[in-house]
Every structure is written in structure tokens, then in C-alpha cells.
Amino acid sequence: MYIDPLRKCKESGELYTRRANIIDFICKSLDWPFDEFLRRAEIKDRRHSDYVPSEVLVYHLRQTKSDNSDGRFVALYDILRDRVEAACPRPNRHVDDKVYEDSRIAEIRDATIDHVTELMFTDRQGYDEQLDIYEVVFDKAVRSARITKLRKVNRRETATEEVEDTITGEVRTVVEAALDRYKKTGLTAEEDFDYRIHLRRAIDALPTDEREVIDLLLADIPIETSKDGEPSMTELLGCVEKTVRNRRDRAYAKIRRALDLEIDDGE
């Protein structure tokens, strides 16, 4: 059975492709009546034998535009929206018999949902390549959107805590403090400015998983937390503490090597 390929390209020029198990599931699910697919899609337990992967759900949602079925689109959209919300940190925390909502976490959740929703509706009007990644690695795509919204909220709340100055491109103080042990001593003002530019380049060149850890570090997000409602790196990135620390350490090592090479070469 032929399934239209995705259109979004990687930096290498190679097209994004669905995983083999997702393609197999899509082919199998195309033989089900819509009501049967909807019943299975409503199952939330990933361990259930009838659970529908979110990547497959996104595929079917996008296909509703071919038969102009608004009813099917809304039914699938409601399920997918719930999955996006479930992937975000919960803003509510319980203190004794009262429930408090963390407005900052709620805003990040709502902004993430709004972002994915916008992609769905723009794709329905034509084709939005940004939605392709949700057919490849849904959880990672939602996580990336969530971190992007987190950074925007942090920038707005504490303008002096941005990663870099929007005019000079200088890396903010907390980054320098975290990487201070790699910085050469006795730099002139001009050399110090060059160092900050190189540091920004080194951070931008990191692999996505390592750069995400640095971004969260810059946003003052703890690796783990015991406070109700407070986001942590382990929760946002969906991995254990050891993995986060390993990614952080690898990132620091790569930044150090990059700085040594760039500054020594006088670039």
C-alpha cells in the first residue's frame, strides 16, 4: 500500500521518513472502520495492545483534509490535543486540601498546545512541513516545542537573564559562570568579546539533545526537583538524572574543545 512520503528535509537534504513500525501500523489501520480507529485512538495506556501511536494519529488527522471531513478532523484533533497536554508538566499542585495553579507552567503548557494546534490547522489548509516531524518522533517534537516556549517565557519574565544580548550577541553571565573554568585568563576587552562570540557558536553547534540541556541550564531549570509543580530537566527531556548529567558533561567537553580550537586558531 502506497503512503505519501513526508516533504520536510534534513540539513543534509535527505527527506524525513517515518519509522518502519509506524508505516506498518498505518497500513494496518487503513483497513479499520473510522469508529474502530477512533476507539483505539482513545486508549491512553501505551502498554495496551490496541494503543495507537501518536505518529499514526497525526497521519490520520492529516488525511481528513482529503475527504473534507471536519467531523473526523475534530474527533482526532481532540484526542491528539489531549496527548500534547499530557506530555506537558502539570501546573496544578496540592497543598493540604487546596489546589494551586502555577501560572508560568500553565502558560508554557497552553503555548505548546497552541503551537501544535496551529500547525494542524495550517497543514489542513495546505501542507505544513513542520508537522512532518510529529509523524516521525511525536514525543521529541512536543518536547522541543515545550522547551522553545519555556525559553520564551523565561526571556520575557527576566530580560536580563537571556542567553545573549540581542544587539551585541554577548553570552549572558550565567553561561560564562558555568563555563568559567574553560576561559583563558588575562584577555583584553577585545579578546573577551571574541571569546563570547566563540562561546555562542560552540553552544549553537551542539547536537540537539546536548544543546537542550544547556538551554535548560540557562533557563535555571534544575536537573531534578522535589517541589510540586516546578519543572525539571528530567521531566522536560523525558530521561533519568544520569542521562541529563552525561549530556551536560559531553556538552561542556565539546564547548571546551571548540573554544580551544577557535581561539587558538584566531578565528
Side-chain angles (χ1 to χ4, degrees), residues 191-243:
E191 290 171 336
D192 181 75
F193 179 79
D194 287 341
Y195 165 82
R196 297 185 186 196
I197 298 299
H198 291 313
L199 178 54
R200 179 68 266 174
R201 288 179 185 170
I203 294 173
D204 289 341
L206 290 171
T208 301
D209 59 344
E210 295 169 10
R211 189 173 65 249
E212 286 177 343
V213 171
I214 297 297
D215 286 340
L216 292 175
L217 171 67
L218 301 174
D220 298 324
I221 301 299
I223 293 180
E224 286 195 319
T225 180
S226 58
K227 297 180 181 179
D228 290 339
E230 181 182 34
S232 66
M233 292 193 197
T234 53
E235 181 181 17
L236 291 170
L237 298 175
C239 53
V240 299
E241 177 185 2
K242 183 178 180 181
T243 300

Side-chain angles (χ1 to χ4, degrees), residues 53-215:
S54 296
E55 293 85 354
V56 176
L57 184 55
V58 174
Y59 172 82
H60 278 269
L61 185 147
R62 300 179 87 175
Q63 297 310 302
T64 60
K65 62 186 175 185
S66 63
D67 57 16
N68 199 29
S69 176
D70 290 337
R72 293 189 178 192
F73 174 81
V74 172
L76 296 177
Y77 163 74
D78 287 343
I79 296 173
L80 196 63
R81 182 191 183 284
D82 289 343
R83 292 194 182 189
V84 174
E85 181 174 359
C88 296
R90 293 182 295 274
N92 296 334
R93 59 189 179 93
H94 296 265
V95 179
D96 297 328
D97 59 343
K98 296 183 179 180
V99 179
Y100 297 89
E101 182 178 77
D102 187 316
S103 59
R104 180 170 171 273
I105 297 177
E107 181 180 357
I108 294 168
R109 177 204 61 196
D110 293 344
T112 302
I113 294 173
D114 289 346
H115 171 72
V116 179
T117 298
E118 182 179 355
L119 293 182
M120 294 177 191
F121 279 94
T122 56
D123 182 80
R124 187 165 177 76
Q125 295 168 2
Y127 192 96
D128 194 327
E129 292 184 356
Q130 293 184 69
L131 199 57
D132 284 2
I133 191 65
Y134 289 82
E135 285 197 53
V136 180
V137 279
F138 180 84
D139 290 339
K140 185 175 181 180
V142 173
R143 190 161 61 240
S144 177
R146 200 171 63 223
I147 291 173
T148 298
K149 301 307 175 184
L150 171 67
R151 293 175 63 188
K152 289 184 178 179
V153 170
N154 282 333
R155 285 195 183 109
R156 190 196 67 240
E157 290 183 347
T158 50
T160 58
E161 293 297 308
E162 289 193 23
V163 174
E164 61 183 14
D165 185 280
T166 56
I167 298 177
T168 66
E170 295 180 4
V171 180
R172 70 180 177 87
T173 306
V174 69
V175 189
E176 294 183 56
L179 300 170
D180 188 57
R181 54 182 166 158
Y182 304 138
K183 185 175 181 179
K184 295 185 177 182
T185 59
L187 299 180
T188 65
E190 183 177 354
E191 290 171 336
D192 181 75
F193 179 79
D194 287 341
Y195 165 82
R196 297 185 186 196
I197 298 299
H198 291 313
L199 178 54
R200 179 68 266 174
R201 288 179 185 170
I203 294 173
D204 289 341
L206 290 171
T208 301
D209 59 344
E210 295 169 10
R211 189 173 65 249
E212 286 177 343
V213 171
I214 297 297
D215 286 340

